[in-house]
Amino acid sequence: MTFNISSPNEAFDCLLDFLGLSGSDYIHEYYIECDADNNRFLEKHSDKLEAMDLEDVAFLVLHVTSNYDQCKNIKEHGVKNLQEVLSEDTPLNNFLMVHGLTFDVQAKRMIWNDLEYNIDYDSYRDKSYNLSKIEKNIKEIGRKIYFDNQINGFFYTQDAKKYGTNIHLYPEFLFTISNLAPELSHIKDEWSAKCQGYLLYMLVNFNQLAWYSFACYTDKYDFDDDKLDNWSQLKNWMWSLAIDVANSNISLDKYAYMKQNTVINPDQIMDVIKINS
């Protein structure tokens, strides 16, 4: 089955399909019998939640990107994490090379204008109070590559363009690079001027998602304990969220984070939609 809560209509259809209800049945059960109480309603269908196998679920995730090749590289090779993007022949890596920036991800080195810099994030983490301005900026580059390098997306968003870092215009990494030095301050604007933003509809397997994609958990131990309970906490969170989206009773984006080594293969990309600036 596909867990698709990308819009209220999609969430409503997904919910009805999973529970085997008609629209009128749902309205009667949820609003009349259960007094619009998510927990009461889901308890009424606890047998279906218990029987659901998360290994058989494909999660619809919305991913925002931008590029100047009409997503040709993505359609051929899939969506990859930042470490792989900076190690391969990709639009972003080629763009950075034009601006004198190259990365040796394995060696944890960045070369800019023929000067080599250490971008090992761990080597900067304990020196927060003794770093120069350029070292603080390099530390942030290292953090993006070695700590925050995973593919991100949305289970649900009202408007991806309102995400705070303008991800429909340029990669977040370019914002980080633009802070390195005044001569690089324009780099994100140059990218956005030549690129088109896209919204990708991707089907992601449960095992590709990081545990912190699921807001029902406080930590990894909580996630592991729920596995022993047939994922009851997660299933209730999923379908309660589906109810809230279907009923347009939600205002916050719901994020989906991939595990750091995840690659979204081309056959997992269901659709590519242009985003108007």
Side-chain angles (χ1 to χ4, degrees):
M1 65 162 291
T2 298
F3 182 73
N4 182 354
I5 59 167
S6 59
S7 71
N9 286 341
E10 294 288 358
F12 187 65
D13 289 344
C14 179
L15 189 62
L16 296 186
D17 184 59
F18 173 66
L19 298 177
L21 297 176
S22 66
S24 57
D25 288 338
Y26 168 78
I27 291 170
H28 181 78
E29 286 192 17
Y30 182 73
Y31 289 101
I32 306 301
E33 295 182 16
C34 298
D35 197 26
D37 185 301
N38 289 11
N39 291 329
R40 286 174 58 187
F41 178 74
L42 292 175
E43 179 62 29
K44 185 178 177 66
H45 296 279
S46 59
D47 57 331
K48 290 187 172 61
L49 271 69
E50 177 72 20
M52 185 177 77
D53 186 350
L54 288 174
E55 301 290 335
D56 295 332
V57 177
F59 292 80
L60 195 288
V61 172
L62 305 173
H63 175 73
V64 180
T65 189
S66 59
N67 52 67
Y68 52 80
D69 69 347
Q70 295 78 51
C71 289
K72 181 177 183 293
N73 186 275
I74 287 174
K75 291 175 181 178
E76 291 180 356
H77 304 289
V79 181
K80 301 188 176 184
N81 68 43
L82 183 58
Q83 289 188 14
E84 293 180 273
V85 167
L86 295 177
S87 301
E88 299 177 5
D89 180 15
T90 62
L92 179 58
N93 202 20
N94 293 333
F95 178 79
L96 291 168
M97 287 180 182
V98 169
H99 291 81
L101 286 153
T102 58
F103 294 85
D104 187 334
V105 172
Q106 295 302 316
K108 300 183 179 180
R109 292 291 184 268
M110 176 184 74
I111 298 174
W112 176 45
N113 289 343
D114 298 324
L115 294 177
E116 186 175 288
Y117 296 87
N118 171 27
I119 55 172
D120 182 359
Y121 180 55
D122 288 334
S123 69
Y124 293 100
R125 294 181 77 167
D126 298 327
K127 303 177 183 178
S128 299
Y129 301 104
N130 300 306
L131 297 178
S132 66
K133 182 177 180 180
I134 191 169
E135 285 176 326
K136 289 179 181 178
N137 290 331
I138 292 172
K139 175 186 176 182
E140 185 62 18
I141 290 171
R143 189 188 72 82
K144 292 296 294 183
I145 296 174
Y146 300 103
F147 182 76
D148 187 24
N149 63 301
Q150 75 277 354
I151 302 165
N152 299 330
F154 304 91
F155 292 123
Y156 169 79
T157 180
Q158 288 186 336
D159 187 354
K161 291 190 293 185
K162 293 183 179 179
Y163 186 76
T165 55
N166 291 321
I167 51 176
H168 65 295
L169 298 176
Y170 47 78
E172 283 185 326
F173 188 61
L174 287 185
F175 179 80
T176 305
I177 291 291
S178 71
N179 292 323
L180 183 60
E183 52 265 49
L184 292 172
S185 62
H186 69 285
I187 197 168
K188 64 184 188 299
D189 298 321
E190 183 178 331
W191 175 275
S192 63
K194 69 182 296 185
C195 293
Q196 169 67 49
Y198 297 92
L199 185 65
L200 309 184
Y201 287 70
M202 313 185 307
L203 289 182
V204 176
N205 301 323
F206 175 59
N207 290 328
Q208 292 180 301
L209 290 161
W211 69 265
Y212 44 88
S213 294
F214 309 113
C216 54
Y217 300 121
T218 56
D219 53 38
K220 180 66 161 56
Y221 298 107
D222 197 13
F223 176 80
D224 291 338
D225 286 344
D226 197 32
K227 182 178 181 180
L228 301 177
D229 193 30
N230 193 27
W231 304 112
S232 62
Q233 193 175 347
L234 174 55
K235 292 174 183 178
N236 275 279
W237 176 82
M238 286 172 56
W239 292 109
S240 184
L241 181 58
I243 292 169
D244 287 342
V245 175
N247 294 342
S248 297
N249 189 30
I250 189 168
S251 59
L252 299 177
D253 293 338
K254 296 302 176 181
Y255 304 115
Y257 304 97
M258 306 304 113
K259 293 177 180 176
Q260 287 197 333
N261 61 350
T262 294
V263 173
I264 304 300
N265 294 319
D267 61 0
Q268 292 181 267
I269 301 171
M270 300 296 103
D271 204 359
V272 177
I273 306 296
K274 285 185 178 182
I275 298 176
N276 295 323
S277 299

